[in-house]
Amino acid sequence: MPLLDIRNLRKTFRSPDGSEALILDVPGFALEAGEHVALSGGSGSGKTTLLNVISGILAPDAGGAVVLDGEDMAALPESRRDALRARAIGFIFQTFNLLQGFSALENVLLGMMLGRGGDEEEAKRLLGRVGLAGRLRHRPRQLSVGQQQRVAVARALANRPKLVLADEPTGNLDARSGREALALIREVCRESGAALLLVSHDPAVLDGFEKKFDLASLNRAAGGAS
Amino acid sequence: MTLRGLLRALCLIVRRNLAQHALSSTVTALASALGCGLVIAVVVVREQAHDAFVGGPVGFDAVLGARGSQLQLVLNTVFHLETSPGNIPWSMYEDVRKDPQVELAIPYALGDNYRGWRIVGTTPEIFTRFEYRKGRRFQAQPGGRFFDPKLREAVIGSLVAQRTGMRVGTAFHPQHGVADDREGHHEEEYVVVGVLEPTNSPSDRVIWIPIEGIFRMGGHVLHGAGETFVPQPGEKIPEEAKEVSAVMLKLRTPMAGFRLDQKINREGTAATLAWPIGKSLAELFEKLGWMDRVLALVAWLVMAVAAASILASLYNAMNERRRDFAILRALGAKRRVVFSAILLESTAIAGFGALGGLGISTALIAGAAHVVRSQTGVVIQVFAFHPVQFLAPAAMVALGALVGIVPALKAYRTPVAENLVPQS
């Protein structure tokens, strides 16, 4: 049984004028445990929406299924989707989305507290693993963008998730930092055994993945998977 | 998420949010502290002042004085405020002193001061028989003694000594009237022979001298017999010429009070008996009750405004904090976690305000106690417990929690996906 199994996933948005727009229509997609997969797609192809639906941040339209680790996200009430997200998913964002008032250590620790429980030693170990052992008390604005992304990586791994979702994780980094960040993400995912679903439009990023899909080919709403 | 993890997460979020918005958090907490402190101070000072004036132990049961206001008589003789309503003949003092139901009658002759501190001419019985509290008589501090009624000697209250620097051996010239008028002092020189131990009563503000000294003070004339009599040095003053400002009475039974009240106030026309002493003061407080209520209302309003300022400050910050809420939600925080975080933050600000309020109220009560003690000699206990010291902080915290619901709901409703992207 795959770690992530998506069937007949549809997501419709209602615009302010009342009209409806179908953004996602994915008949099927699966991801095995520990597998690393890249999804490509241009702007507006629904990459971020897909990740938000997989993580339970957005609820899909009725009728489809997003089965993660044996639980159907699409059928769960919001609070249980939140709990499943905290427990099983690590999220890495293009803009890092670190809490600015919190130190690097606190950003990781808070992620843990919302999931399996705070463990300061583990948080320090994770930050040490991403090369930030000397930056534990630094606030995000006191770190370089590359270092901020490393904090985000450590936070994503904080709850030992089974699935890491990475949304354009190198989009805000220069080429060298991007390569380093990508290597780090894949490395720590491999070490922890987490599956990685990464979306990017950057060919340099996609090249490193053995398994990659163009979202347009999966998403009928974007003209694919017919 | 475990309960422990949830609590730790909430504490961390609230701590960091308060630190991140330190200025607005501090200002709103200070406003809350002020509101809370005002409420406590107004209630405590009002009630303690009421109790001290109306029910405080004064040592006497009644005051006999010139026909007029009982309140003025009490304020003038017991609290050494106001002016004397006039004099009564010495014979009245003699009559009441001989009344078998009167345990103690002490004459007061008032009307002079030294640097604003009231001078009371009286008999040595004030030291030897009068108990300002049950079982407690005036005590002279070591090195001092009580005055000799035949000499120009004075005994001063502890507050007089503390504020004027007078001590045993200090000579001074009494001044005429009750206001400090250094130009119009009497020629007679008095010497301090004793400083009283503190009594925490209005007596601490008094300079006691022999009543004969008041009679013979230069410029004083006596009208006890209806005609003007000017005492001459070395010449005995006839009893009928003498007059006193008041006679302080200790009665053997409450019935004596009823009887004297009937005889002096209802059947007589020459004098007034203030009995019971607390009654006229209670009436005064009753008349001034509206002022207390206005003050208390203003204080409660300040507290409500402080709570509103917490609401405004948190609510206005909600827009800039939407992304933080979205991040927390993306990390797996349930809606009720972000709701609780804001509610807790609001409650914490109010809680800090409540704690600060206790400090501010203590300072305000201490300030008020200092002024009241200086002006009246009445002691207000700064650290005595009053239920409002628990109720006002609890009300502040409850208000803080209540107003926190509005911004907390806004945080609760924050859409996650659209706020994860930085807003330009």
Side-chain angles (χ1 to χ4, degrees):
Chain A
M1 188 175 152
L3 174 71
L4 175 68
D5 188 9
I6 295 174
R7 295 186 299 272
N8 297 320
L9 170 65
R10 290 167 66 89
K11 179 64 188 172
T12 307
F13 285 100
R14 188 184 291 272
S15 60
D17 64 6
S19 60
E20 291 190 338
L22 181 66
I23 303 297
L24 282 180
D25 183 3
V26 181
F29 175 76
L31 185 71
E32 296 298 329
E35 193 175 24
H36 288 196
V37 172
L39 286 178
S40 62
S43 289
S45 62
K47 301 189 299 286
T48 300
T49 303
L50 176 63
L51 295 189
N52 283 341
V53 171
I54 291 172
S55 64
I57 288 173
L58 290 176
D61 296 348
V66 180
V67 180
L68 175 67
D69 198 22
E71 289 196 75
D72 184 2
M73 272 281 193
L76 294 176
E78 186 186 71
S79 66
R80 288 193 55 198
R81 292 205 307 272
D82 294 335
L84 182 58
R85 177 166 66 253
R87 192 181 74 236
I89 296 176
F91 223 132
I92 302 170
F93 303 90
Q94 178 181 351
T95 50
F96 323 132
N97 279 341
L98 298 177
L99 292 162
Q100 295 301 311
F102 294 61
S103 68
L105 180 64
E106 286 168 342
N107 264 284
V108 177
L109 207 49
L110 186 61
M112 282 181 173
M113 288 170 181
L114 294 170
R116 64 188 168 93
D119 179 344
E120 193 164 327
E121 288 312 307
E122 174 67 1
K124 285 178 180 170
R125 190 195 67 76
L126 278 167
L127 283 164
R129 172 64 191 86
V130 298
L132 293 176
R135 298 283 188 276
L136 301 179
R137 308 287 169 194
H138 285 58
R139 299 285 159 85
R141 68 175 63 88
Q142 296 169 310
L143 300 170
S144 68
V145 285
Q147 288 171 328
Q148 289 182 44
Q149 188 60 302
R150 289 192 211 182
V151 176
V153 171
R155 185 179 64 183
L157 272 295
N159 287 316
R160 298 187 198 123
K162 294 189 171 168
L163 173 63
V164 171
L165 301 174
D167 185 4
E168 301 275 12
T170 61
N172 271 17
L173 304 175
D174 59 44
R176 181 167 161 239
S177 301
R179 276 196 305 278
E180 287 174 0
L182 181 62
L184 179 67
I185 291 168
R186 298 199 65 179
E187 215 171 281
V188 293
C189 283
R190 262 196 296 275
E191 286 168 10
S192 66
L196 172 66
L197 180 59
L198 178 146
V199 299
S200 176
H201 68 278
D202 183 353
V205 172
L206 298 168
D207 279 350
F209 282 80
E210 299 76 30
K211 196 169 180 180
K212 54 195 165 201
F213 299 95
D214 183 355
L215 187 56
S217 67
L218 299 172
N219 185 7
R220 286 191 296 216
S226 53
Chain B
M1 191 187 337
T2 60
L3 180 64
R4 187 162 172 268
L6 171 67
L7 291 177
R8 285 184 69 194
L10 284 175
C11 286
L12 179 59
I13 295 167
V14 170
R15 210 152 38 92
R16 282 287 156 251
N17 281 345
L18 288 175
Q20 211 174 348
H21 304 91
L23 182 63
S24 63
S25 302
T26 306
V27 170
T28 46
L30 280 176
S32 307
L34 188 63
C36 191
L38 274 177
V39 168
I40 295 172
V42 165
V43 173
V44 169
V45 170
R46 182 207 164 279
E47 292 205 6
Q48 282 213 30
H50 179 274
D51 292 349
F53 276 96
V54 175
V58 291
F60 294 109
D61 297 320
V63 186
L64 176 67
R67 194 74 177 171
S69 156
Q70 291 189 23
L71 176 63
Q72 187 184 1
L73 190 58
V74 170
L75 287 176
N76 185 240
T77 56
V78 177
F79 295 99
H80 306 287
L81 302 167
E82 274 275 3
T83 52
S84 169
N87 291 339
I88 53 173
W90 184 261
S91 57
M92 275 194 179
Y93 157 62
E94 288 291 351
D95 288 346
V96 78
R97 186 170 69 86
K98 288 170 187 160
D99 189 313
Q101 288 185 299
V102 172
E103 184 184 327
L104 179 64
I106 298 180
Y108 274 10
L110 309 165
D112 284 333
N113 80 94
Y114 176 66
R115 287 163 61 176
W117 300 90
R118 304 283 177 106
I119 293 175
V120 176
T122 189
T123 58
E125 286 173 306
I126 195 76
F127 306 119
T128 56
R129 293 189 60 200
F130 169 64
E131 293 182 352
Y132 63 91
R133 281 194 187 88
K134 195 168 173 53
R136 304 282 294 273
R137 289 191 181 147
F138 291 137
Q139 296 280 324
Q141 290 179 9
R145 60 175 174 80
F146 301 134
F147 60 63
D148 181 331
K150 296 187 189 67
L151 299 176
R152 287 179 184 163
E153 292 181 341
V155 173
I156 61 175
S158 59
L159 202 62
V160 180
Q162 184 190 329
R163 296 290 165 81
T164 61
M166 294 166 83
R167 53 181 187 271
V168 172
T170 303
F172 68 96
H173 292 275
Q175 298 162 241
H176 193 66
V178 292
D180 182 11
D181 173 14
R182 292 178 198 192
E183 300 302 311
H185 68 74
H186 294 288
E187 290 304 315
E188 289 80 0
E189 185 180 81
Y190 277 77
V191 177
V192 176
V193 295
V195 176
L196 297 179
E197 293 285 3
T199 62
N200 287 337
S201 75
S203 300
D204 291 343
R205 298 171 54 245
V206 172
I207 297 172
W208 308 94
I209 66 169
I211 196 163
E212 189 82 6
I214 295 281
F215 294 156
R216 294 184 179 279
M217 200 78 77
H220 285 187
V221 291
L222 300 170
H223 300 94
E227 294 167 5
T228 301
F229 179 86
V230 182
Q232 299 301 320
E235 191 178 298
K236 191 170 185 297
I237 303 171
E239 295 283 286
E240 63 272 18
K242 291 179 184 173
E243 55 183 349
V244 293
S245 305
V247 184
M248 312 303 288
L249 300 174
K250 182 86 185 154
L251 307 176
R252 291 191 196 282
T253 64
M255 276 311 295
F258 283 108
R259 190 176 56 75
L260 287 172
D261 179 45
Q262 181 71 24
K263 183 180 160 192
I264 296 168
N265 290 334
R266 296 175 206 282
E267 294 168 7
T269 55
T272 294
L273 182 79
W275 175 86
I277 283 177
K279 191 184 78 175
S280 41
L281 287 163
E283 284 168 4
L284 172 69
F285 273 91
E286 192 64 32
K287 281 178 193 156
L288 296 177
W290 65 270
M291 207 163 70
D292 294 329
R293 287 190 285 277
V294 168
L295 273 176
L297 181 68
V298 168
W300 283 106
L301 277 177
V302 171
M303 208 159 108
V305 169
S309 76
I310 296 176
L311 166 64
S313 116
L314 285 178
Y315 194 83
N316 288 340
M318 282 298 110
N319 272 350
E320 67 182 74
R321 292 165 73 174
R322 275 185 308 182
R323 189 162 176 228
D324 284 0
F325 301 139
I327 294 170
L328 286 170
R329 295 289 322 282
L331 292 174
K334 294 179 170 65
R335 285 183 192 272
R336 64 171 186 261
V337 172
V338 289
F339 179 89
S340 305
I342 298 302
L343 203 63
L344 200 59
E345 187 176 335
S346 170
T347 310
I349 292 172
F352 287 128
L355 282 178
L358 286 173
I360 286 180
S361 69
T362 305
L364 288 174
I365 294 168
H370 180 77
V371 172
V372 170
R373 174 114 203 269
S374 296
Q375 298 298 315
T376 68
V378 166
V379 173
I380 286 177
Q381 301 295 335
V382 179
F383 296 104
F385 177 75
H386 187 285
V388 77
Q389 287 165 321
F390 168 76
L391 290 174
M396 188 69 246
V397 171
L399 271 176
L402 192 68
V403 299
I405 290 174
V406 179
L409 275 177
K410 199 169 184 188
Y412 181 91
R413 293 189 185 124
T414 301
V416 181
E418 64 194 63
N419 285 300
L420 280 173
V421 184
Q423 307 293 311
S424 56

